[in-house]
Amino acid sequence: MTILCVRFQLPPMYEAALPGLLGTLEEFTPVVEALPPDGALADLRGAERYFRRDVVELASLIRVRALAWHGVDCAIGAGPGPMFARMALREAAPGEIRVVPEGPLALTEFLAERPVGALPGVGTATARTLCEYGLDSIGKVAAAPLSTLQRLTTARTGRELHEKARGIDRGRVVPNAVSRSLAAERPFPRDELDPAQHRRALLSAAGELGSRLRALEKVCRTLTLTVRYADRSLTTRSRKLPEPTAHSSALTDAAYRMYEALGLQRARVRGVALRAEGLDPADQASHQLTFDPVDEKVRRLEEVAHRVREKFGAGAVVPGALAA
């Protein structure tokens, strides 16, 4: 067992704490993959030999340090590969370390009786299709011919299902950094039903993201919206932007479009968050020229407002909708 999948028990809409928590993992291994908003994968193959501790002992140390240094508990799944670590994490309660048993026979038994929807990457629609044909457990999927799985799904999906159900885990931990994304959260003091307040929160979050991107001289390619509801469930939507941008107006427009597409009607919203992903240096980004004088005016005003905020503070210039 060399892979950990960690889910930190962060307070609602508190994704900004994730970089510090990833630093705790990086003290044990440089091979850490951030899984925003609250998780990470860590490859401990070298760490076990270096620290002379097994993966369970290392997982316990990680949990203790996260609690002691950041006040954040976590659930941890451990397995021989990312797929098994993710499956173990799904069954781990907060504060628990769940371990997949070792050995080929033990792994086969671990998979056999679990529902097919427990396999990472198997969505609701695929699981429903398989269940309609009696393939409701991973063991039954493993016993099904490859051609049958491909006929029920697609050639690629069927092949992946066939391998995963038989315990073949081709996943790997890809080191990255949470700095590849920037997040802005807007929790509400109470459950908010007013769509106008939701839009004001999105306007504020998009403005913050734009300002931070320009300060870092970065642009983003994708914007992700997360809406958290009163029952602690959440909805996440992502949109690839027409062009890489750091302009608040473009980010706000994309956020509004994603929000409107949700079709929320008197939903009790606990908070919203925007995350800019796919960050690249601004000087390497392409920009589609336009002859629209309004767009050019907005960009110039944004540059002036940015300089004013740098000198007099973030509240020196705000959109009229947020002035109150």
Side-chain angles (χ1 to χ4, degrees):
M1 293 167 294
T2 58
I3 307 298
L4 295 185
C5 189
V6 184
R7 182 178 63 244
F8 297 104
Q9 308 299 315
L10 294 177
M13 316 308 292
Y14 196 55
E15 183 180 334
L18 186 57
L21 292 164
L22 292 181
T24 302
L25 291 173
E26 289 169 351
E27 293 186 358
F28 294 89
T29 173
V31 189
V32 176
E33 180 178 349
L35 302 174
D38 59 359
L41 285 169
D43 189 335
L44 298 182
R45 276 177 290 191
E48 290 179 281
R49 180 179 299 177
Y50 182 83
F51 291 102
R52 297 181 180 178
R53 297 175 183 268
D54 63 29
V55 70
V56 177
E57 292 174 320
L58 292 174
S60 299
L61 280 175
I62 289 170
R63 178 172 175 256
V64 168
R65 291 192 181 186
L67 273 169
W69 295 347
H70 303 278
V72 175
D73 203 352
C74 60
I76 301 177
M83 181 185 78
F84 287 103
R86 289 174 186 266
M87 294 181 70
L89 177 63
R90 286 187 178 185
E91 301 179 3
E96 182 183 4
I97 300 171
R98 191 65 179 264
V99 179
V100 175
E102 292 186 85
L105 182 58
L107 292 177
T108 300
E109 292 177 352
F110 173 81
L111 291 172
E113 298 303 324
R114 281 168 172 74
V116 67
L119 277 177
V122 176
T124 304
T126 302
R128 185 187 305 116
T129 299
L130 293 171
C131 289
E132 288 175 354
Y133 288 88
L135 302 177
D136 55 354
S137 71
I138 299 176
K140 292 179 181 178
V141 173
L146 173 60
S147 59
T148 300
L149 297 177
Q150 291 180 323
R151 188 165 57 251
L152 294 177
T153 57
T154 64
R156 179 178 177 181
T157 302
R159 184 173 61 254
E160 291 178 351
L161 277 172
H162 190 256
E163 291 183 348
K164 289 179 178 180
R166 292 168 177 260
I168 301 173
D169 187 357
R170 299 190 185 278
R172 60 191 182 94
V173 182
V174 181
N176 65 0
V178 77
S179 60
R180 288 286 294 171
S181 67
L182 293 177
E185 300 117 4
R186 292 297 182 271
F188 295 113
R190 59 180 181 276
D191 298 341
E192 185 59 67
L193 283 76
D194 187 359
Q197 296 298 329
H198 301 165
R199 290 173 66 89
R200 290 181 78 248
L202 292 174
L203 174 63
S204 174
E208 178 188 329
L209 279 183
S211 180
R212 290 167 63 187
L213 286 168
R214 293 190 294 274
L216 294 171
E217 297 183 349
K218 300 281 189 179
V219 293
C220 72
R221 297 179 177 274
T222 304
L223 189 67
T224 298
L225 165 66
T226 301
V227 180
R228 189 180 296 271
Y229 305 102
D231 61 357
R232 297 191 177 183
S233 64
L234 52 85
T235 299
T236 302
R237 293 290 184 272
S238 294
R239 171 166 294 193
K240 187 173 182 179
L241 302 172
E243 65 179 21
T245 186
H247 294 290
S248 300
S249 58
L251 297 174
T252 302
D253 182 64
Y256 282 170
R257 289 177 183 273
M258 285 189 288
Y259 172 78
E260 291 166 359
L262 294 178
L264 301 181
Q265 296 182 355
R266 295 189 61 78
R268 297 171 58 197
V269 175
R270 186 69 55 85
V272 298
L274 290 176
R275 186 167 69 248
E277 300 175 304
L279 307 190
D280 292 316
D283 57 2
Q284 297 179 14
S286 59
H287 171 57
Q288 179 64 47
L289 297 177
T290 176
F291 295 100
D292 184 0
V294 175
D295 180 72
E296 187 64 26
K297 183 178 180 180
V298 168
R299 291 174 182 267
R300 289 182 178 179
L301 287 173
E302 193 172 68
E303 292 176 3
V304 173
H306 181 69
R307 290 197 293 269
V308 172
R309 292 191 189 101
E310 285 184 329
K311 185 173 183 179
F312 297 105
V317 179
V318 296
L322 302 178

